[in-house]
Amino acid sequence: MVTRPTAPPPPPPPLSPEAFNAAYPPAPGSAPKLDADALLTGLNDRQREAVTLPPGPALVLAGPGSGKTRVLTHRVAWLVGVERVPTWQVMAVTFTNKAAREMRARLDTLLGGHAMDRLSIGTFHATCARLLRVEASGADILDFDGRFIIFDSDDQIRTVKRVVRELDLDDKQYRPRAILGAISAAKNEMIRPREYNPPTYWHEVAGRVYERYQALLRLSNALDFDDLLLETATLLRDVPAVRDKYRARWQHVLVDEFQDTNSVQYQMVHGLASAEIADAPHNLFVVGDEDQSIYRWRGADYRNIQRFRRDFPAARTVLLEQNYRSTQTILDAAQAVIAGNANRTPKELWTDSKGGAGITLFEAYDEGEEAAYVVRRIEQMNTRGREYGDFAVMYRTNAQSRAIEDALVRRRIPYQLVGATRFYDRREVRDALAFLRLAHNPLDEMSFLRVLNVPTRGIGPKALSYVQAVSDEFNVPLWSALQLLVDDEVERDLPGLGPVDNRSRNALTTFHTIIDGLLFARDTLEPSALLGRALDTSGYANWLRDGSEEGEERWENLLELRGVAEDFGALPPREALSAMLESVALVADVDGIAEGEDGAQQGERVTLLTLHSAKGLEYKVVFITGLEEDTLPHSRSANDPEALEEERRLLYVGITRAEEKLHLVHAFRRSLFGTTEVRQPSRFLTELPPEVLTPSAARTTRSRSKESSPRTEETQWRKAPTRAGAAAGRTQFHAGDKVRHASFGEGIVVTSAERDGDEEVTVAFVKGGIKKLLQSFAKLEPRG
DNA sequence: CTAATCCAGGTTTTT
DNA sequence: CCTGGATTAG
């Protein structure tokens, strides 16, 4: 593929205006020259067109499985290897670390491992963080300095809570989550506290919180996720020197998943590419798919694709419709579903792989049976030669994973859970990181307060109030206040508090000693050792490992964290520490961390994940579970047509993950927060054309679409439960009977379910409506 | 100050 | 169901 000439390549024609090359002479870090034909082999016509587009704005509309990442990476390779653009002039942004890593890896292969270090490839957030660290040091345009820390969602919510309490607000009426949402929304619109124009009284209050929240952030020299974007976009908009510098530097900007950009991200990209500098072409290459826009709730707007067309009328558009992933059957199903959305530009996906297995639709009795079904199918296919790694089980909400996990554990099938209680959200991990953050910067109040009394060392509200009082009195951070206290450099009688009692004093000294020790060690110990020291001297390790199973589990998480820390061992300690903390703050997914306890590799495990985290992935066999009203579409989306369209896109994303076989599963009833409810099948199911389904599944949807007719279907069980009915004393069944699962209208409801390999049967009579009926369900013991 | 216990509330998706 | 907050007993 990649050929390296033996003779030095002839000087390439400069892609960018000479003026730029003169002003910014190419730095070391140009890529090897690539052979254009070799680079393009294996690409289809459309892909080739996209990869070789002339400079200028470009929009690639890429359907699922159409080789989007391939196009992006080849485009970069084309630019640096064929067009001879210096690598440092290229910036590619993605949304996830995973995508960035993958791009990097693929480019590494394409470019033969050279010249990678000068390419800017990263997530929006990471890219912004890097830029801000540079720009905030020195210039005092910004109200924070380059050593800022990054607040994650937990820090954010704690801060908002603190402000809500401070302002004496009712946290029921002003729920911290909601307020944080409002703040985030404002930031996404680039609205600062002072410019905030509240539409309602509630928002006015939220605005007050916003102001104080922001002040607290800056007090800790902290930025939240939204700030990273906002401050960068503002800088590029308002400071010509900075803007021009980066425009000149990044002459080629490539954006992945453009449909998921929010307004700030759009402006940032737009700002970088605008042509206010004479002769600068807008070399902005964006790739996206409106149909896969699933982050509306955090400000993403697929209409940015339309906006792009409007703002860059000269943009060339390339449509990628050939799919290399799924069977035609699966594509047909996907298109039928997405066709239900009104606001979209139609695309016609096609593939060379005609036909394919029908899509199975299964109605389970409840989530337990749903899980049993999935697991049974996996086992069946596994014995027929499928690897566990070929399977993925997807769901709308993380809570749904529990039942599936249970079933997998019982059958001893190795699995991998993506996301869920994220590794870095675990309490012990956050505690441990708080120690490291304090070692990095003891003024970090969030971390200070977090571990001040963890493990408990006798510092309660009383002791804290001394520190707080000193902090207020002398207007210094908590850490400095603590220092003053333990060094006995403040008046013994604090205003309104009286003398500091000895117990508090001792406890505070203990804490001070711990952190001081870390500060002392941070320049010599590498992060993993520093972490070990922190856990030892703080007593955290002992406290955690109290002999309980839970304690050991948590301890293992800390060992994993230690493993993460070891990756930074090569750098000088001080640098390694900040690199590690930065990386950890911007990591969202757990991949690479959750290697199996049972020794199974990733490829040998069933993957469990939400539909959201499934984007960009593919599996041979996909199960989409919980296809019910109020789950998919989710109840929160019920009243909002826009939100409903997003739910449909979510299902579309899920369906198009499947390469060969798709199972759609829904349950007749499902328990949620303790109570059980009857579920209606998802409206999206009725949008599936019967011919994409397996015959029996097609029959089911058809009978279901006739509204008032009874909903019946034969169960999947071969053996009827033995005289289970008799045990109920209501009706009788015999071995060999065909058990029916009749939900409505027949006077009797019978369902079977599997539990621990045994079948469980439920029988009831219809009396007083379905709700009553379900309450009166009798649970029966199976008999041998 | 800590630990145990009770209670109410909130439960979508994630950089 | 699970968490986090509040309350209470020690």
Side-chain angles (χ1 to χ4, degrees):
Chain A
M1 277 268 185
V2 179
T3 56
R4 297 237 268 134
T6 44
L15 181 71
S16 46
E18 276 116 32
F20 276 102
N21 279 338
Y24 303 94
S30 59
K33 180 162 173 58
L34 299 183
D35 179 72
D37 289 337
L39 182 64
L40 296 176
T41 45
L43 298 182
N44 70 33
D45 290 350
R46 296 279 134 265
Q47 292 174 334
R48 248 168 227 242
E49 184 189 347
V51 167
T52 60
L53 280 173
L59 172 63
V60 178
L61 297 173
S66 63
K68 181 193 64 160
T69 310
R70 205 146 181 246
V71 165
L72 262 172
T73 49
H74 279 71
R75 173 68 176 178
V76 174
W78 175 266
L79 288 173
V80 303
V82 179
E83 303 275 9
R84 311 302 287 147
V85 173
T87 46
W88 52 271
Q89 287 185 358
V90 177
M91 171 174 79
V93 272
T94 61
F95 273 82
T96 64
N97 294 296
K98 197 156 67 185
R101 257 201 309 277
E102 191 181 337
M103 231 176 126
R104 214 159 241 293
R106 291 216 211 170
L107 270 169
D108 207 32
T109 315
L110 282 179
L111 299 178
H114 293 277
M116 290 296 297
D117 48 334
R118 292 199 150 251
L119 282 170
S120 305
I121 300 175
T123 62
F124 267 105
H125 297 268
T127 305
C128 291
R130 218 174 317 131
L131 187 152
L132 289 174
R133 289 208 193 281
V134 174
E135 297 305 325
S137 316
D140 35 25
I141 325 151
L142 300 169
D143 60 349
F144 52 89
D145 84 63
R147 285 162 306 174
F148 61 83
I149 54 170
I150 298 168
F151 266 23
D152 63 25
S153 36
D154 188 63
D155 300 326
Q156 292 182 53
I157 206 76
R158 282 160 170 263
T159 309
V160 173
K161 276 182 183 165
R162 186 170 150 192
V163 176
V164 165
R165 223 169 297 145
E166 223 178 80
L167 298 182
D168 239 341
L169 299 169
D170 174 13
D171 65 355
K172 287 212 176 82
Q173 200 179 353
Y174 300 101
R175 292 211 314 279
R177 285 226 163 270
I179 295 197
L180 188 57
I183 293 174
S184 178
K187 288 184 175 182
N188 282 332
E189 298 296 319
M190 296 186 74
I191 299 168
R192 309 266 176 175
R194 283 186 308 137
E195 302 139 12
Y196 192 63
N197 189 12
T200 67
Y201 179 68
W202 188 91
H203 285 88
E204 196 212 301
V205 176
R208 293 210 293 270
V209 179
Y210 181 12
E211 188 165 1
R212 179 74 185 134
Y213 167 85
Q214 203 60 16
L216 282 178
L217 247 67
R218 289 303 182 266
L219 229 54
S220 305
N221 194 32
L223 303 192
D224 64 18
F225 287 131
D226 297 318
D227 284 338
L228 292 173
L229 305 174
L230 173 62
E231 297 296 349
T232 306
T234 311
L235 208 55
L236 291 173
R237 187 190 60 193
D238 297 345
V239 185
V242 173
R243 178 179 54 213
D244 293 348
K245 174 166 139 197
Y246 286 99
R247 274 185 190 164
R249 157 100 206 257
W250 290 321
Q251 297 201 25
H252 290 268
V253 176
L254 297 91
V255 187
D256 193 12
E257 308 279 16
F258 198 70
Q259 76 283 351
D260 284 329
T261 50
N262 65 27
S263 159
V264 183
Q265 287 160 335
Y266 185 89
Q267 291 195 45
M268 208 181 103
V269 169
H270 184 272
L272 277 175
S274 289
E276 282 167 33
I277 296 182
D279 299 336
H282 338 269
N283 293 324
L284 182 52
F285 187 94
V286 308
V287 183
D289 179 6
E290 292 162 293
D291 293 334
Q292 295 185 67
S293 168
I294 53 176
Y295 290 112
R296 199 180 89 97
W297 47 273
R298 67 171 198 220
D301 189 352
Y302 65 90
R303 278 175 298 238
N304 280 342
I305 289 184
Q306 303 310 328
R307 215 163 134 197
F308 180 87
R309 288 181 141 153
R310 215 180 46 234
D311 291 349
F312 299 96
R316 307 274 292 256
T317 303
V318 179
L319 198 57
L320 303 180
E321 292 174 305
Q322 182 175 3
N323 175 292
Y324 294 96
R325 180 185 295 148
S326 313
T327 64
Q328 190 64 49
T329 305
I330 289 165
L331 290 184
D332 288 346
Q335 306 216 70
V337 167
I338 201 66
N341 277 0
N343 304 314
R344 65 183 287 268
T345 339
K347 270 196 303 291
E348 194 62 44
L349 301 180
W350 61 278
T351 170
D352 282 338
S353 121
K354 298 288 171 218
I359 293 166
T360 308
L361 181 64
F362 180 72
E363 175 177 56
Y365 171 61
D366 60 9
E367 68 273 14
E369 197 196 61
E370 179 179 69
Y373 169 80
V374 169
V375 169
R376 191 152 35 88
R377 279 307 164 93
I378 290 175
E379 283 182 320
Q380 276 169 6
M381 288 187 266
N382 179 245
T383 54
R384 287 191 222 127
R386 290 256 192 225
E387 308 262 345
Y388 285 132
D390 292 341
F391 302 99
V393 187
M394 303 179 184
Y395 33 78
R396 177 65 228 267
T397 64
N398 274 312
Q400 289 168 253
S401 71
R402 174 146 296 163
I404 316 267
E405 279 188 85
D406 284 349
L408 287 166
V409 168
R410 269 205 299 272
R411 307 297 304 176
R412 303 193 194 297
I413 298 175
Y415 68 92
Q416 165 197 33
L417 191 68
V418 177
T421 321
R422 280 150 54 217
F423 182 72
Y424 290 107
D425 284 346
R426 290 172 184 280
R427 209 188 37 233
E428 63 280 14
V429 174
R430 299 191 51 86
D431 287 343
L433 284 173
F435 283 112
L436 289 186
R437 278 165 58 157
L438 282 175
H440 172 63
N441 170 19
L443 306 188
D444 176 352
E445 302 213 334
M446 225 53 230
S447 303
F448 185 96
L449 292 171
R450 179 173 189 102
V451 291
L452 181 60
N453 196 31
V454 180
T456 47
R457 54 177 70 86
I459 304 177
K462 185 84 174 291
L464 175 59
S465 70
Y466 295 129
V467 186
Q468 197 76 59
V470 176
S471 163
D472 292 345
E473 179 73 14
F474 299 96
N475 197 23
V476 294
L478 291 176
W479 170 251
S480 316
L482 179 65
Q483 273 181 316
L484 292 175
L485 267 169
V486 302
D487 292 347
D488 218 358
E489 289 182 12
V490 287
E491 293 291 323
R492 320 225 356 200
D493 283 343
L494 292 163
L497 283 172
V500 178
D501 72 66
N502 268 333
R503 264 199 210 172
S504 294
R505 213 197 144 73
N506 290 339
L508 287 170
T509 307
T510 309
F511 181 70
H512 180 262
T513 309
I514 294 164
I515 303 305
D516 216 25
L518 295 179
L519 287 170
F520 181 72
R522 71 180 184 185
D523 292 316
T524 46
L525 292 183
E526 60 180 80
S528 60
L530 191 65
L531 174 62
R533 167 95 42 113
L535 297 176
D536 272 346
T537 57
S538 65
Y540 200 90
N542 277 331
W543 174 73
L544 194 63
R545 310 185 70 184
D546 57 355
S548 72
E549 203 179 312
E550 199 201 347
E552 280 312 300
E553 247 172 61
R554 290 178 179 277
W555 178 245
E556 288 188 3
N557 288 325
L558 292 181
L559 293 181
E560 298 230 16
L561 182 65
R562 213 190 155 122
V564 173
E566 277 164 13
D567 294 345
F568 294 84
L571 297 167
R574 192 69 188 81
E575 216 174 297
L577 179 60
S578 44
M580 179 199 169
L581 292 174
E582 166 117 349
S583 134
V584 156
L586 293 171
V587 155
D589 37 32
V590 293
D591 51 345
I593 293 161
E595 289 288 300
E597 309 85 60
D598 52 10
Q601 294 304 304
Q602 307 257 328
E604 297 165 352
R605 308 155 145 255
V606 175
T607 304
L608 272 56
L609 73 182
T610 63
L611 288 163
H612 279 90
S613 40
K615 193 161 73 164
L617 306 175
E618 57 185 22
Y619 298 90
K620 295 263 185 334
V621 181
V622 167
F623 295 84
I624 301 178
T625 63
L627 276 158
E628 298 132 38
E629 287 293 299
D630 290 348
T631 297
L632 186 65
H634 195 270
S635 49
R636 301 264 286 230
S637 302
N639 305 319
D640 179 352
E642 287 279 333
L644 213 54
E645 295 217 331
E646 179 139 317
E647 299 284 325
R648 198 177 268 109
R649 291 194 289 267
L650 210 39
L651 177 57
Y652 176 78
V653 166
I655 293 174
T656 53
R657 299 308 96 193
E659 295 171 18
E660 293 172 19
K661 174 76 188 175
L662 177 65
H663 292 265
L664 302 174
V665 195
H666 62 106
F668 167 60
R669 47 188 296 207
R670 181 178 296 278
S671 12
L672 208 55
F673 328 126
T675 54
T676 297
E677 279 177 351
V678 185
R679 291 312 192 88
Q680 293 300 318
S682 167
R683 69 189 74 184
F684 300 144
L685 291 176
T686 64
E687 297 169 359
L688 292 168
E691 57 275 15
V692 304
L693 302 171
T694 59
S696 70
R699 212 183 315 121
T700 318
T701 38
R702 226 169 302 139
S703 71
R704 194 159 299 155
S705 56
K706 282 186 247 146
E707 239 179 88
S708 56
S709 71
R711 212 155 65 101
T712 68
E713 83 186 21
E714 288 175 10
T715 66
Q716 303 287 310
W717 316 111
R718 291 228 177 72
K719 288 185 301 180
T722 312
R723 282 191 298 271
R730 297 187 179 179
T731 185
Q732 201 169 356
F733 291 95
H734 300 284
D737 277 359
K738 268 197 168 171
V739 177
R740 297 179 60 86
H741 171 168
S743 313
F744 293 101
E746 294 191 356
I748 180 171
V749 174
V750 180
T751 321
S752 61
E754 186 178 78
R755 195 137 300 166
D756 290 326
D758 287 321
E759 279 145 17
E760 179 186 292
V761 172
T762 316
V763 184
F765 294 93
V766 176
K767 247 183 221 162
I770 196 77
K771 278 262 161 73
K772 263 268 160 53
L773 173 141
L774 289 164
Q775 285 162 7
S776 67
F777 260 166
K779 293 224 167 158
L780 311 177
E781 299 283 329
R783 292 192 177 180

